[in-house]
Amino acid sequence: MKKIITALLLMISLDALAQNNSYSVSTDEKNGSQVFNGPVTFNDLDKEASFTWLKSGNEAYNPKEKRISFLDEHLKKYSMVIFLGTWCADSKALIPKLEKVLEVTKYPKSQITMYGVDRD
């Protein structure tokens, strides 16, 4: 029982940390991109003016209706943990698409835990 309570307290603490948006900001040495490191939200990313890739990628993506219907029915059963590199080309290509799918399906933001990571 003590192990269960300890695990629950750890999960609550991690969730509270994620809600505080206590990420650090630095500059990537290889490509000069701004790096968010730590718990972040889509709102944090949306507010950063230099992340033009997020808005343009979101607006350009049009997910297929058949796939959205499936996800709309099933996706909310799951919580997500997302790791992204704001300096990374793969994240810059995929995170805007994910954001669009989550918006279209009205996926609850409370079920998302997202972490920005640096190259280390």
Side-chain angles (χ1 to χ4, degrees):
M1 188 63 161
K2 285 183 180 181
K3 289 181 182 181
I4 293 172
I5 292 172
T6 303
L8 287 173
L9 289 174
L10 177 61
M11 289 170 46
I12 290 169
S13 297
L14 287 173
D15 186 53
L17 178 63
Q19 298 301 320
N20 288 337
N21 300 328
S22 57
Y23 59 91
S24 63
V25 179
S26 62
T27 302
D28 183 70
E29 293 178 12
K30 290 190 178 182
N31 66 14
S33 294
Q34 212 170 47
V35 177
F36 281 20
N37 195 358
V40 297
T41 65
F42 280 108
N43 287 338
D44 295 328
L45 299 176
D46 289 332
K47 289 178 189 176
E48 176 51 51
S50 69
F51 293 167
T52 57
W53 50 268
L54 188 61
K55 183 177 180 182
S56 63
N58 181 307
E59 290 173 352
Y61 183 59
N62 294 311
K64 295 182 179 173
E65 186 60 40
K66 184 177 180 181
R67 292 180 180 161
I68 290 298
S69 295
F70 177 83
L71 291 173
D72 196 31
E73 183 178 339
H74 298 286
L75 191 60
K76 293 178 183 100
K77 298 174 190 174
Y78 301 94
S79 294
M80 286 189 197
V81 178
I82 303 165
F83 296 91
L84 75 136
T86 55
W87 48 269
C88 173
D90 291 335
S91 291
K92 289 179 180 184
L94 297 173
I95 293 298
K97 293 176 181 178
L98 175 61
E99 183 183 36
K100 178 73 154 263
V101 168
L102 298 177
E103 288 170 357
V104 171
T105 59
K106 296 179 178 49
Y107 185 81
K109 291 182 179 181
S110 62
Q111 290 178 224
I112 300 171
T113 303
M114 185 162 41
Y115 298 96
V117 298
D118 59 19
R119 290 180 187 268
D120 292 334

PDB file of all heavy atoms in Angstrom, residues 42 45-62 91-93 95-97 99-100 103:
ATOM      1  N   PHE A  42       1.270  23.314 -25.295  1.00  0.00           N
ATOM      2  CA  PHE A  42       1.086  23.888 -26.621  1.00  0.00           C
ATOM      3  C   PHE A  42       0.935  25.404 -26.523  1.00  0.00           C
ATOM      4  O   PHE A  42       1.397  26.130 -27.393  1.00  0.00           O
ATOM      5  CB  PHE A  42      -0.111  23.270 -27.342  1.00  0.00           C
ATOM      6  CG  PHE A  42       0.209  21.936 -27.958  1.00  0.00           C
ATOM      7  CD1 PHE A  42      -0.295  20.771 -27.422  1.00  0.00           C
ATOM      8  CD2 PHE A  42       1.008  21.847 -29.089  1.00  0.00           C
ATOM      9  CE1 PHE A  42       0.001  19.542 -27.988  1.00  0.00           C
ATOM     10  CE2 PHE A  42       1.319  20.629 -29.663  1.00  0.00           C
ATOM     11  CZ  PHE A  42       0.806  19.473 -29.110  1.00  0.00           C
ATOM     12  N   LEU A  45       4.329  26.953 -26.471  1.00  0.00           N
ATOM     13  CA  LEU A  45       4.921  26.942 -27.811  1.00  0.00           C
ATOM     14  C   LEU A  45       4.264  27.986 -28.701  1.00  0.00           C
ATOM     15  O   LEU A  45       4.946  28.685 -29.451  1.00  0.00           O
ATOM     16  CB  LEU A  45       4.782  25.552 -28.441  1.00  0.00           C
ATOM     17  CG  LEU A  45       5.459  24.391 -27.706  1.00  0.00           C
ATOM     18  CD1 LEU A  45       5.140  23.070 -28.401  1.00  0.00           C
ATOM     19  CD2 LEU A  45       6.946  24.594 -27.580  1.00  0.00           C
ATOM     20  N   ASP A  46       2.934  28.086 -28.621  1.00  0.00           N
ATOM     21  CA  ASP A  46       2.203  29.056 -29.442  1.00  0.00           C
ATOM     22  C   ASP A  46       2.609  30.496 -29.135  1.00  0.00           C
ATOM     23  O   ASP A  46       2.596  31.348 -30.019  1.00  0.00           O
ATOM     24  CB  ASP A  46       0.689  28.903 -29.245  1.00  0.00           C
ATOM     25  CG  ASP A  46       0.135  27.639 -29.877  1.00  0.00           C
ATOM     26  OD1 ASP A  46       0.715  27.145 -30.868  1.00  0.00           O
ATOM     27  OD2 ASP A  46      -0.903  27.145 -29.384  1.00  0.00           O
ATOM     28  N   LYS A  47       2.971  30.773 -27.899  1.00  0.00           N
ATOM     29  CA  LYS A  47       3.322  32.136 -27.486  1.00  0.00           C
ATOM     30  C   LYS A  47       4.707  32.567 -27.963  1.00  0.00           C
ATOM     31  O   LYS A  47       4.994  33.755 -28.002  1.00  0.00           O
ATOM     32  CB  LYS A  47       3.269  32.253 -25.958  1.00  0.00           C
ATOM     33  CG  LYS A  47       1.873  32.214 -25.398  1.00  0.00           C
ATOM     34  CD  LYS A  47       1.917  32.284 -23.883  1.00  0.00           C
ATOM     35  CE  LYS A  47       0.557  32.039 -23.282  1.00  0.00           C
ATOM     36  NZ  LYS A  47       0.624  32.008 -21.807  1.00  0.00           N
ATOM     37  N   GLU A  48       5.553  31.617 -28.314  1.00  0.00           N
ATOM     38  CA  GLU A  48       6.922  31.946 -28.713  1.00  0.00           C
ATOM     39  C   GLU A  48       6.944  32.426 -30.165  1.00  0.00           C
ATOM     40  O   GLU A  48       6.691  31.666 -31.093  1.00  0.00           O
ATOM     41  CB  GLU A  48       7.838  30.733 -28.540  1.00  0.00           C
ATOM     42  CG  GLU A  48       9.253  30.943 -29.012  1.00  0.00           C
ATOM     43  CD  GLU A  48       9.898  32.188 -28.441  1.00  0.00           C
ATOM     44  OE1 GLU A  48       9.860  32.377 -27.209  1.00  0.00           O
ATOM     45  OE2 GLU A  48      10.426  32.980 -29.241  1.00  0.00           O
ATOM     46  N   ALA A  49       7.236  33.691 -30.368  1.00  0.00           N
ATOM     47  CA  ALA A  49       7.190  34.315 -31.697  1.00  0.00           C
ATOM     48  C   ALA A  49       8.140  33.668 -32.697  1.00  0.00           C
ATOM     49  O   ALA A  49       7.842  33.619 -33.893  1.00  0.00           O
ATOM     50  CB  ALA A  49       7.494  35.807 -31.578  1.00  0.00           C
ATOM     51  N   SER A  50       9.265  33.138 -32.240  1.00  0.00           N
ATOM     52  CA  SER A  50      10.231  32.547 -33.172  1.00  0.00           C
ATOM     53  C   SER A  50       9.807  31.162 -33.672  1.00  0.00           C
ATOM     54  O   SER A  50      10.389  30.648 -34.619  1.00  0.00           O
ATOM     55  CB  SER A  50      11.619  32.469 -32.531  1.00  0.00           C
ATOM     56  OG  SER A  50      11.635  31.516 -31.482  1.00  0.00           O
ATOM     57  N   PHE A  51       8.787  30.588 -33.065  1.00  0.00           N
ATOM     58  CA  PHE A  51       8.323  29.259 -33.488  1.00  0.00           C
ATOM     59  C   PHE A  51       7.272  29.384 -34.589  1.00  0.00           C
ATOM     60  O   PHE A  51       6.165  28.851 -34.491  1.00  0.00           O
ATOM     61  CB  PHE A  51       7.763  28.471 -32.309  1.00  0.00           C
ATOM     62  CG  PHE A  51       8.770  28.088 -31.257  1.00  0.00           C
ATOM     63  CD1 PHE A  51       8.350  27.625 -30.032  1.00  0.00           C
ATOM     64  CD2 PHE A  51      10.140  28.187 -31.480  1.00  0.00           C
ATOM     65  CE1 PHE A  51       9.260  27.259 -29.048  1.00  0.00           C
ATOM     66  CE2 PHE A  51      11.062  27.829 -30.505  1.00  0.00           C
ATOM     67  CZ  PHE A  51      10.626  27.362 -29.288  1.00  0.00           C
ATOM     68  N   THR A  52       7.608  30.045 -35.657  1.00  0.00           N
ATOM     69  CA  THR A  52       6.680  30.224 -36.787  1.00  0.00           C
ATOM     70  C   THR A  52       6.330  28.889 -37.430  1.00  0.00           C
ATOM     71  O   THR A  52       5.271  28.747 -38.039  1.00  0.00           O
ATOM     72  CB  THR A  52       7.272  31.171 -37.838  1.00  0.00           C
ATOM     73  OG1 THR A  52       8.538  30.662 -38.274  1.00  0.00           O
ATOM     74  CG2 THR A  52       7.456  32.573 -37.257  1.00  0.00           C
ATOM     75  N   TRP A  53       7.203  27.910 -37.293  1.00  0.00           N
ATOM     76  CA  TRP A  53       6.975  26.573 -37.834  1.00  0.00           C
ATOM     77  C   TRP A  53       5.729  25.926 -37.237  1.00  0.00           C
ATOM     78  O   TRP A  53       5.068  25.129 -37.900  1.00  0.00           O
ATOM     79  CB  TRP A  53       8.196  25.674 -37.597  1.00  0.00           C
ATOM     80  CG  TRP A  53       8.699  25.669 -36.181  1.00  0.00           C
ATOM     81  CD1 TRP A  53       9.666  26.476 -35.645  1.00  0.00           C
ATOM     82  CD2 TRP A  53       8.263  24.824 -35.107  1.00  0.00           C
ATOM     83  NE1 TRP A  53       9.865  26.187 -34.312  1.00  0.00           N
ATOM     84  CE2 TRP A  53       9.017  25.176 -33.955  1.00  0.00           C
ATOM     85  CE3 TRP A  53       7.325  23.807 -34.996  1.00  0.00           C
ATOM     86  CZ2 TRP A  53       8.856  24.545 -32.726  1.00  0.00           C
ATOM     87  CZ3 TRP A  53       7.157  23.175 -33.778  1.00  0.00           C
ATOM     88  CH2 TRP A  53       7.916  23.547 -32.655  1.00  0.00           C
ATOM     89  N   LEU A  54       5.372  26.284 -36.016  1.00  0.00           N
ATOM     90  CA  LEU A  54       4.223  25.663 -35.362  1.00  0.00           C
ATOM     91  C   LEU A  54       2.919  26.117 -36.020  1.00  0.00           C
ATOM     92  O   LEU A  54       2.092  25.295 -36.416  1.00  0.00           O
ATOM     93  CB  LEU A  54       4.223  25.985 -33.870  1.00  0.00           C
ATOM     94  CG  LEU A  54       3.187  25.260 -33.022  1.00  0.00           C
ATOM     95  CD1 LEU A  54       3.386  23.755 -33.079  1.00  0.00           C
ATOM     96  CD2 LEU A  54       3.254  25.725 -31.589  1.00  0.00           C
ATOM     97  N   LYS A  55       2.751  27.405 -36.163  1.00  0.00           N
ATOM     98  CA  LYS A  55       1.522  27.930 -36.760  1.00  0.00           C
ATOM     99  C   LYS A  55       1.418  27.561 -38.241  1.00  0.00           C
ATOM    100  O   LYS A  55       0.368  27.094 -38.694  1.00  0.00           O
ATOM    101  CB  LYS A  55       1.449  29.448 -36.596  1.00  0.00           C
ATOM    102  CG  LYS A  55       0.162  30.034 -37.124  1.00  0.00           C
ATOM    103  CD  LYS A  55       0.076  31.529 -36.889  1.00  0.00           C
ATOM    104  CE  LYS A  55      -1.240  32.060 -37.438  1.00  0.00           C
ATOM    105  NZ  LYS A  55      -1.361  33.493 -37.287  1.00  0.00           N
ATOM    106  N   SER A  56       2.490  27.733 -38.983  1.00  0.00           N
ATOM    107  CA  SER A  56       2.432  27.449 -40.422  1.00  0.00           C
ATOM    108  C   SER A  56       2.214  25.958 -40.683  1.00  0.00           C
ATOM    109  O   SER A  56       1.465  25.581 -41.577  1.00  0.00           O
ATOM    110  CB  SER A  56       3.686  27.953 -41.134  1.00  0.00           C
ATOM    111  OG  SER A  56       4.835  27.296 -40.667  1.00  0.00           O
ATOM    112  N   GLY A  57       2.856  25.110 -39.899  1.00  0.00           N
ATOM    113  CA  GLY A  57       2.669  23.667 -40.055  1.00  0.00           C
ATOM    114  C   GLY A  57       1.266  23.221 -39.685  1.00  0.00           C
ATOM    115  O   GLY A  57       0.684  22.362 -40.339  1.00  0.00           O
ATOM    116  N   ASN A  58       0.709  23.825 -38.635  1.00  0.00           N
ATOM    117  CA  ASN A  58      -0.656  23.521 -38.214  1.00  0.00           C
ATOM    118  C   ASN A  58      -1.653  23.930 -39.297  1.00  0.00           C
ATOM    119  O   ASN A  58      -2.536  23.165 -39.668  1.00  0.00           O
ATOM    120  CB  ASN A  58      -0.951  24.235 -36.892  1.00  0.00           C
ATOM    121  CG  ASN A  58      -2.331  23.961 -36.347  1.00  0.00           C
ATOM    122  OD1 ASN A  58      -3.332  24.126 -37.034  1.00  0.00           O
ATOM    123  ND2 ASN A  58      -2.388  23.567 -35.088  1.00  0.00           N
ATOM    124  N   GLU A  59      -1.493  25.144 -39.818  1.00  0.00           N
ATOM    125  CA  GLU A  59      -2.425  25.647 -40.826  1.00  0.00           C
ATOM    126  C   GLU A  59      -2.334  24.868 -42.139  1.00  0.00           C
ATOM    127  O   GLU A  59      -3.333  24.691 -42.836  1.00  0.00           O
ATOM    128  CB  GLU A  59      -2.172  27.130 -41.084  1.00  0.00           C
ATOM    129  CG  GLU A  59      -2.581  28.007 -39.914  1.00  0.00           C
ATOM    130  CD  GLU A  59      -2.187  29.462 -40.087  1.00  0.00           C
ATOM    131  OE1 GLU A  59      -1.451  29.799 -41.056  1.00  0.00           O
ATOM    132  OE2 GLU A  59      -2.612  30.278 -39.244  1.00  0.00           O
ATOM    133  N   ALA A  60      -1.155  24.388 -42.479  1.00  0.00           N
ATOM    134  CA  ALA A  60      -0.961  23.690 -43.752  1.00  0.00           C
ATOM    135  C   ALA A  60      -1.454  22.249 -43.726  1.00  0.00           C
ATOM    136  O   ALA A  60      -1.712  21.661 -44.778  1.00  0.00           O
ATOM    137  CB  ALA A  60       0.522  23.706 -44.124  1.00  0.00           C
ATOM    138  N   TYR A  61      -1.598  21.676 -42.547  1.00  0.00           N
ATOM    139  CA  TYR A  61      -1.959  20.260 -42.445  1.00  0.00           C
ATOM    140  C   TYR A  61      -3.467  20.068 -42.475  1.00  0.00           C
ATOM    141  O   TYR A  61      -4.204  20.702 -41.721  1.00  0.00           O
ATOM    142  CB  TYR A  61      -1.376  19.663 -41.163  1.00  0.00           C
ATOM    143  CG  TYR A  61      -1.642  18.191 -41.014  1.00  0.00           C
ATOM    144  CD1 TYR A  61      -1.203  17.287 -41.966  1.00  0.00           C
ATOM    145  CD2 TYR A  61      -2.342  17.707 -39.921  1.00  0.00           C
ATOM    146  CE1 TYR A  61      -1.441  15.931 -41.834  1.00  0.00           C
ATOM    147  CE2 TYR A  61      -2.582  16.353 -39.766  1.00  0.00           C
ATOM    148  CZ  TYR A  61      -2.132  15.463 -40.730  1.00  0.00           C
ATOM    149  OH  TYR A  61      -2.378  14.127 -40.595  1.00  0.00           O
ATOM    150  N   ASN A  62      -3.924  19.176 -43.327  1.00  0.00           N
ATOM    151  CA  ASN A  62      -5.335  18.823 -43.420  1.00  0.00           C
ATOM    152  C   ASN A  62      -5.479  17.321 -43.246  1.00  0.00           C
ATOM    153  O   ASN A  62      -5.349  16.562 -44.211  1.00  0.00           O
ATOM    154  CB  ASN A  62      -5.916  19.255 -44.771  1.00  0.00           C
ATOM    155  CG  ASN A  62      -5.935  20.751 -44.923  1.00  0.00           C
ATOM    156  OD1 ASN A  62      -6.394  21.460 -44.045  1.00  0.00           O
ATOM    157  ND2 ASN A  62      -5.403  21.233 -46.031  1.00  0.00           N
ATOM    158  N   SER A  91      10.641  17.289 -34.989  1.00  0.00           N
ATOM    159  CA  SER A  91       9.620  17.883 -34.124  1.00  0.00           C
ATOM    160  C   SER A  91       8.915  19.035 -34.830  1.00  0.00           C
ATOM    161  O   SER A  91       7.702  19.188 -34.739  1.00  0.00           O
ATOM    162  CB  SER A  91      10.239  18.386 -32.818  1.00  0.00           C
ATOM    163  OG  SER A  91      10.662  17.306 -32.015  1.00  0.00           O
ATOM    164  N   LYS A  92       9.696  19.852 -35.551  1.00  0.00           N
ATOM    165  CA  LYS A  92       9.103  20.988 -36.265  1.00  0.00           C
ATOM    166  C   LYS A  92       8.148  20.519 -37.356  1.00  0.00           C
ATOM    167  O   LYS A  92       7.203  21.233 -37.700  1.00  0.00           O
ATOM    168  CB  LYS A  92      10.205  21.871 -36.854  1.00  0.00           C
ATOM    169  CG  LYS A  92      10.966  22.631 -35.787  1.00  0.00           C
ATOM    170  CD  LYS A  92      12.067  23.476 -36.405  1.00  0.00           C
ATOM    171  CE  LYS A  92      12.833  24.244 -35.348  1.00  0.00           C
ATOM    172  NZ  LYS A  92      13.843  25.125 -35.945  1.00  0.00           N
ATOM    173  N   ALA A  93       8.359  19.328 -37.899  1.00  0.00           N
ATOM    174  CA  ALA A  93       7.469  18.784 -38.924  1.00  0.00           C
ATOM    175  C   ALA A  93       6.252  18.089 -38.319  1.00  0.00           C
ATOM    176  O   ALA A  93       5.145  18.202 -38.848  1.00  0.00           O
ATOM    177  CB  ALA A  93       8.233  17.810 -39.815  1.00  0.00           C
ATOM    178  N   ILE A  95       5.085  17.978 -34.743  1.00  0.00           N
ATOM    179  CA  ILE A  95       4.317  18.560 -33.637  1.00  0.00           C
ATOM    180  C   ILE A  95       3.169  19.443 -34.133  1.00  0.00           C
ATOM    181  O   ILE A  95       2.062  19.374 -33.585  1.00  0.00           O
ATOM    182  CB  ILE A  95       5.249  19.301 -32.652  1.00  0.00           C
ATOM    183  CG1 ILE A  95       6.163  18.289 -31.939  1.00  0.00           C
ATOM    184  CG2 ILE A  95       4.461  20.132 -31.651  1.00  0.00           C
ATOM    185  CD1 ILE A  95       5.446  17.261 -31.083  1.00  0.00           C
ATOM    186  N   PRO A  96       3.340  20.269 -35.180  1.00  0.00           N
ATOM    187  CA  PRO A  96       2.199  21.038 -35.675  1.00  0.00           C
ATOM    188  C   PRO A  96       1.059  20.152 -36.170  1.00  0.00           C
ATOM    189  O   PRO A  96      -0.119  20.463 -35.965  1.00  0.00           O
ATOM    190  CB  PRO A  96       2.793  21.854 -36.827  1.00  0.00           C
ATOM    191  CG  PRO A  96       4.242  21.948 -36.530  1.00  0.00           C
ATOM    192  CD  PRO A  96       4.586  20.650 -35.871  1.00  0.00           C
ATOM    193  N   LYS A  97       1.396  19.033 -36.791  1.00  0.00           N
ATOM    194  CA  LYS A  97       0.368  18.092 -37.262  1.00  0.00           C
ATOM    195  C   LYS A  97      -0.357  17.458 -36.077  1.00  0.00           C
ATOM    196  O   LYS A  97      -1.579  17.318 -36.098  1.00  0.00           O
ATOM    197  CB  LYS A  97       0.992  17.026 -38.152  1.00  0.00           C
ATOM    198  CG  LYS A  97       1.508  17.585 -39.456  1.00  0.00           C
ATOM    199  CD  LYS A  97       2.218  16.527 -40.274  1.00  0.00           C
ATOM    200  CE  LYS A  97       2.752  17.136 -41.568  1.00  0.00           C
ATOM    201  NZ  LYS A  97       3.494  16.177 -42.372  1.00  0.00           N
ATOM    202  N   GLU A  99      -0.668  18.776 -33.109  1.00  0.00           N
ATOM    203  CA  GLU A  99      -1.503  19.822 -32.516  1.00  0.00           C
ATOM    204  C   GLU A  99      -2.814  19.958 -33.285  1.00  0.00           C
ATOM    205  O   GLU A  99      -3.884  20.067 -32.684  1.00  0.00           O
ATOM    206  CB  GLU A  99      -0.757  21.150 -32.481  1.00  0.00           C
ATOM    207  CG  GLU A  99      -1.569  22.255 -31.813  1.00  0.00           C
ATOM    208  CD  GLU A  99      -0.876  23.600 -31.823  1.00  0.00           C
ATOM    209  OE1 GLU A  99      -0.185  23.927 -32.815  1.00  0.00           O
ATOM    210  OE2 GLU A  99      -1.040  24.341 -30.847  1.00  0.00           O
ATOM    211  N   LYS A 100      -2.749  19.936 -34.604  1.00  0.00           N
ATOM    212  CA  LYS A 100      -3.955  20.062 -35.429  1.00  0.00           C
ATOM    213  C   LYS A 100      -4.920  18.913 -35.159  1.00  0.00           C
ATOM    214  O   LYS A 100      -6.119  19.118 -34.976  1.00  0.00           O
ATOM    215  CB  LYS A 100      -3.557  20.104 -36.912  1.00  0.00           C
ATOM    216  CG  LYS A 100      -4.712  20.178 -37.878  1.00  0.00           C
ATOM    217  CD  LYS A 100      -5.338  21.569 -37.828  1.00  0.00           C
ATOM    218  CE  LYS A 100      -6.026  21.953 -39.085  1.00  0.00           C
ATOM    219  NZ  LYS A 100      -5.299  22.755 -40.014  1.00  0.00           N
ATOM    220  N   GLU A 103      -6.562  19.385 -31.842  1.00  0.00           N
ATOM    221  CA  GLU A 103      -7.570  20.453 -31.907  1.00  0.00           C
ATOM    222  C   GLU A 103      -8.856  19.948 -32.569  1.00  0.00           C
ATOM    223  O   GLU A 103      -9.953  20.169 -32.061  1.00  0.00           O
ATOM    224  CB  GLU A 103      -7.033  21.644 -32.701  1.00  0.00           C
ATOM    225  CG  GLU A 103      -5.975  22.437 -31.999  1.00  0.00           C
ATOM    226  CD  GLU A 103      -5.295  23.450 -32.902  1.00  0.00           C
ATOM    227  OE1 GLU A 103      -5.605  23.514 -34.116  1.00  0.00           O
ATOM    228  OE2 GLU A 103      -4.433  24.193 -32.400  1.00  0.00           O
TER     229      GLU A 103
END
